[in-house]
Amino acid sequence: MQRKGRSGLLAALLAGSLSLAALVQAHAQRALVAHISPPDTQQFPVVHVFASISDEAGRRISGLPADSFQVLEDEAVIVSPQVREAVLGTRQVFAINTTAGMELRDASGRTRFQLVREALLGWWQTPGAGLLGVDDLTLLTGAGLVAEHVDSAAELAARLDQPQPVPENLLTDLDLVLRALDFLSDPSPRPGMPGYLIFLTPLLEPGRDLSLVNAIARANETGTTIFPVLVGPAEAATLPQAANLQQLAQGTGGTLLVFDPAEGLLGLADQVLDQRTQYQISYTSGVNLSGTHSVRVRLTADGAEATTEGRDYDITIQPPEAVFLDPPARIERRSDDPTLTLEELPPTSLALRLLVTFPDGHSRPLAGSELIIDGQIVLQRLEAPFDVLEWDLREVQASGTHQIRAVVSDSLGLEGVTSDLAIRVNVIEPPRGLAALRNAFGPLLIALGILALGMVVGVGLSGRWRSRSQGEIAPPGIPGRRTPLRRAGLQPRPTAEQAEAFLLPIDPAGGPVEPYPLSGAEVILGRDAALSTLALEDPSLSGMHARLIRLADGGYQIRDLGSIAGTRVNFTPVPAEGARLEHGDRIDVGRSSLRFQLSNPPAPRQVYIRPFPSPAPTHSLPDARPLRRPRRSRIDPQEPSRDPNG
């Protein structure tokens, strides 16, 4: 019997322990309250949500490790989200329902509104509330808006004077709540800032069920927690008229409080200001389809679990777009080295660069790329850089045109394809046999030719210097006058009898100059005497600057040879197809100027002036007679024409 008694006692104790444990566990599960903000997708595919974790009394729970959080996006578990505590601040809207019930006075004669005002001033004057720029604050009463989106509690205190409550206010009860929620719908100064509506009111009028439902729905859409503060005696919270306030608090995650003038609002202030710090949860989304998606967070801490409400977000997602950057239209593989095979001909590769953009505005990393040549994948990249694709040209050993295409894929698995690109590859076989020897000795022959030309020029200059020093007569034209024109040493100078036209240097000082007769099919103007028919001592000219071409009809055309300084006729740049020269045209090459003159210039044009016919003339006019007017010349008026023969 004694053993039985002891066994029964132990069983009772064990049962009691289990019941107590179950009770503690149930209490722990009920004590965890979690809410999240609407997802922030500005950095998509990285998504941020902010979680508020508190106990049943509304006190924030801090210091939770990252493994306490599990993110579910469209019910799919996100692997390894990043969690940290961040100071965000809060959005606080204070709404004072200034109905007739706020006019009631206490034993000392102060109205309920005055008591509420003193309690709010006490809140705003605490050290925690005095931080500038942390919170977003708004104050309104039934009479109207007092302050909107200010960042200083001191400014709220300064603006809250003592308006006398009027029974017939424009906004009262739940209408005032809906108006206050409008300010919490405005964009937040910082993503993730939690919103709180402190609604200070006497008992509401019954029969506003629809407005109550709308207020709860609006608060949940904006992530707002509503704290109704009942201004009245403590027993008023048990009256049926307080049921709508209780529903307003429970439907938004808040608590119904009864205002105590002795305690003020400091307890609520601590609870709200403590929520300035939130858990920032960041993760990389796996969503790759446009539309509406949902996020919720499951929390486990100290054996308790809580799951937040689902938060939706809308997103538009499009595949990336890729284009080739400055691709060549033609590639030539060739070399003068006879020992190279076709595979070894340079270039052996070509780097094709891509420009990748995201038309949906959500930049994201690339995960791979492919290069497709003539429908075959020749390169796959699984590591960066993904926007540079190397085409191996060693396999291209025959001339032909190839179709090039690239495919890029992003971190969401979406692919972008370039347009087809046609590139012509010419493969020129290296020289063999005697052709190879000619190429091998080519540089040597050129060097010997340059040396011989230098010797000829040197001998010519030496003889010219000796002849001048011995008093020889200068060439016909202008005795003793230097000219900027130099002929190539190996080309004979045409005589005046052979020349059909002349180039006459223009001297800015107006001094005498020596003309240069033109003959033959073409004349090259330039700075290099070895390459030009007519060399000018002007450093602004190119080695081969311009070409004068004799046309079939006896005229001349001038073309620029790609010079840097350019060629102009009568101050007009010469077009790519060239310009026909007329007698008297001015030619500017670099900083040098020449006058083009024909040996037999055309006769000037005759201009006739005839009277305008009139049906009834009143005066007789003399017979029309020709007037000689010289052909409009493009010669500078300050430069008189000169006889090219001196």
Side-chain angles (χ1 to χ4, degrees):
M1 289 291 295
Q2 191 175 3
R3 289 184 179 179
K4 272 190 177 180
R6 290 181 179 177
S7 299
L9 180 60
L10 290 175
L13 290 175
L14 180 59
S17 300
L18 293 176
S19 299
L20 181 61
L23 179 62
V24 172
Q25 183 178 5
H27 177 74
Q29 291 177 351
R30 289 196 304 269
L32 202 58
V33 180
H35 299 282
I36 60 171
S37 66
D40 177 15
T41 59
Q42 294 182 4
Q43 300 177 0
F44 189 86
V46 177
V47 179
H48 305 284
V49 293
F50 299 88
S52 171
I53 312 299
S54 58
D55 58 18
E56 197 173 37
R59 294 183 294 268
R60 191 178 73 88
I61 300 176
S62 61
L64 295 177
D67 57 7
S68 300
F69 297 85
Q70 186 182 57
V71 179
L72 295 94
E73 185 179 53
D74 294 338
E75 299 306 317
V77 177
I78 300 298
V79 179
S80 302
Q82 297 181 358
V83 181
R84 70 181 185 93
E85 293 186 77
V87 177
L88 306 176
T90 60
R91 294 186 297 163
Q92 305 170 25
V93 175
F94 299 89
I96 305 175
N97 189 17
T98 50
T99 62
M102 297 294 281
E103 294 181 317
L104 300 178
R105 299 178 182 272
D106 63 2
S108 62
R110 292 180 299 175
T111 65
R112 289 179 176 177
F113 179 83
Q114 292 174 335
L115 296 174
V116 168
R117 178 180 178 278
E118 293 175 3
L120 288 175
L121 294 177
W123 177 336
W124 298 334
Q125 291 171 1
T126 59
L131 296 179
L132 182 63
V134 177
D135 301 312
D136 179 69
L137 308 173
T138 298
L139 172 63
L140 71 159
T141 68
L145 180 65
V146 178
E148 177 183 7
H149 297 307
V150 300
D151 59 358
S152 170
E155 187 171 350
L156 286 187
R159 295 193 185 185
L160 183 58
D161 52 9
Q162 298 185 19
Q164 294 298 320
V166 179
E168 300 296 333
N169 281 318
L170 180 62
L171 290 176
T172 60
D173 297 348
L174 294 176
D175 292 333
L176 182 61
V177 172
L178 292 173
R179 180 70 180 99
L181 289 172
D182 290 340
F183 297 98
L184 290 161
S185 301
D186 294 338
S188 173
R190 288 175 296 279
M193 293 179 66
Y196 297 96
L197 171 56
I198 294 87
F199 182 42
L200 300 113
T201 178
L203 289 174
L204 304 182
E205 294 182 1
R208 302 293 301 276
D209 295 341
L210 182 59
S211 298
L212 178 64
V213 173
N214 291 337
I216 294 175
R218 288 279 306 281
N220 290 328
E221 288 176 2
T222 59
T224 301
T225 301
I226 300 179
F227 287 98
V229 179
L230 179 57
V231 182
E235 58 272 14
T238 62
L239 297 177
Q241 295 89 331
N244 47 10
L245 295 177
Q246 185 68 40
Q247 294 175 21
L248 191 64
Q250 293 177 351
T252 60
T255 306
L256 174 61
L257 303 175
V258 177
F259 178 65
D260 185 353
E263 296 182 2
L265 298 172
L266 297 182
L268 180 59
D270 292 340
Q271 183 176 344
V272 171
L273 297 179
D274 195 33
Q275 296 297 331
R276 287 170 170 169
T277 302
Q278 299 280 300
Y279 287 95
Q280 178 178 330
I281 306 173
S282 305
Y283 68 93
T284 301
S285 174
V287 169
N288 58 8
L289 295 175
S290 300
T292 302
H293 303 274
S294 179
V295 178
R296 60 193 182 99
V297 175
R298 182 180 297 153
L299 179 66
T300 304
D302 297 331
E305 292 186 359
T307 302
T308 68
E309 68 281 11
R311 290 290 188 181
D312 294 340
Y313 69 91
D314 293 323
I315 197 74
T316 300
I317 302 175
Q318 295 176 328
E321 294 181 353
V323 294
F324 288 105
L325 280 178
D326 298 328
R330 182 184 300 270
I331 303 173
E332 192 168 273
R333 301 190 64 203
R334 67 180 303 167
S335 174
D336 293 334
D337 187 351
T339 63
L340 295 181
T341 64
L342 293 179
E343 182 181 4
E344 297 171 334
L345 288 177
T348 58
S349 64
L350 174 65
L352 296 169
R353 299 185 178 274
L354 299 173
L355 174 63
V356 182
T357 58
F358 295 91
D360 55 18
H362 305 301
S363 298
R364 46 196 179 268
L366 298 177
S369 57
E370 295 178 351
L371 179 63
I372 302 174
I373 308 294
D374 297 330
Q376 301 293 325
I377 299 176
V378 299
L379 177 65
Q380 285 186 321
R381 274 197 176 276
L382 300 178
E383 295 181 355
F386 299 104
D387 56 351
V388 179
L389 300 175
E390 200 79 16
W391 181 15
D392 188 356
L393 296 175
R394 292 175 297 179
E395 300 297 328
V396 183
Q397 301 181 11
S399 299
T401 301
H402 301 271
Q403 298 297 322
I404 317 297
R405 181 187 302 174
V407 180
V408 297
S409 58
D410 60 20
S411 59
L412 300 179
L414 301 178
E415 292 186 347
V417 183
T418 65
S419 301
D420 286 348
L421 173 68
I423 297 181
R424 173 74 182 181
V425 180
N426 292 330
V427 181
I428 302 176
E429 187 175 355
R432 312 292 183 188
L434 294 178
L437 293 177
R438 182 178 67 247
N439 292 333
F441 286 106
L444 178 60
L445 295 177
I446 293 176
L448 291 177
I450 293 175
L451 179 61
L453 179 61
M455 295 176 62
V456 171
V457 173
V459 171
L461 293 177
S462 165
R464 183 177 180 181
W465 180 82
R466 287 197 301 270
S467 64
R468 288 192 176 183
S469 64
Q470 295 172 3
E472 292 184 2
I473 300 175
I478 308 301
R481 177 68 179 178
R482 292 190 63 190
T483 174
L485 305 180
R486 294 183 289 125
R487 294 181 294 108
L490 300 180
Q491 297 181 359
R493 175 179 180 132
T495 62
E497 292 77 10
Q498 300 172 337
E500 299 177 350
F502 297 87
L503 288 179
L504 188 66
I506 298 177
D507 187 357
V513 292
E514 178 184 358
Y516 181 83
L518 302 179
S519 66
E522 68 174 16
V523 175
I524 303 298
L525 301 178
R527 187 182 72 248
D528 192 340
L531 303 175
S532 305
T533 310
L534 180 58
L536 281 74
E537 297 178 352
D538 185 348
S540 67
L541 269 65
S542 301
M544 297 176 65
H545 195 99
R547 173 186 286 119
L548 274 76
I549 304 173
R550 186 181 182 277
L551 303 176
D553 58 0
Y556 279 83
Q557 184 187 60
I558 187 169
R559 294 182 181 178
D560 186 78
L561 298 179
S563 65
I564 297 177
T567 304
R568 299 174 298 282
V569 174
N570 297 326
F571 306 102
T572 301
V574 174
E577 65 271 14
R580 186 182 180 94
L581 295 175
E582 302 290 345
H583 177 70
D585 280 349
R586 171 179 176 140
I587 303 172
D588 290 297
V589 285
R591 290 194 294 268
S592 299
S593 301
L594 306 169
R595 181 74 64 192
F596 175 77
Q597 293 186 349
L598 296 172
S599 299
N600 297 313
R605 291 183 293 180
Q606 299 285 334
V607 179
Y608 294 90
I609 300 177
R610 298 182 183 276
F612 184 79
S614 176
T618 56
H619 300 281
S620 61
L621 296 175
D623 294 339
R625 53 182 177 175
L627 296 179
R628 293 182 61 83
R629 192 179 79 177
R631 177 176 172 268
R632 183 169 62 89
S633 175
R634 287 171 278 190
I635 303 176
D636 290 348
Q638 296 181 358
E639 298 172 0
S641 173
R642 296 181 178 85
D643 186 355
N645 293 323

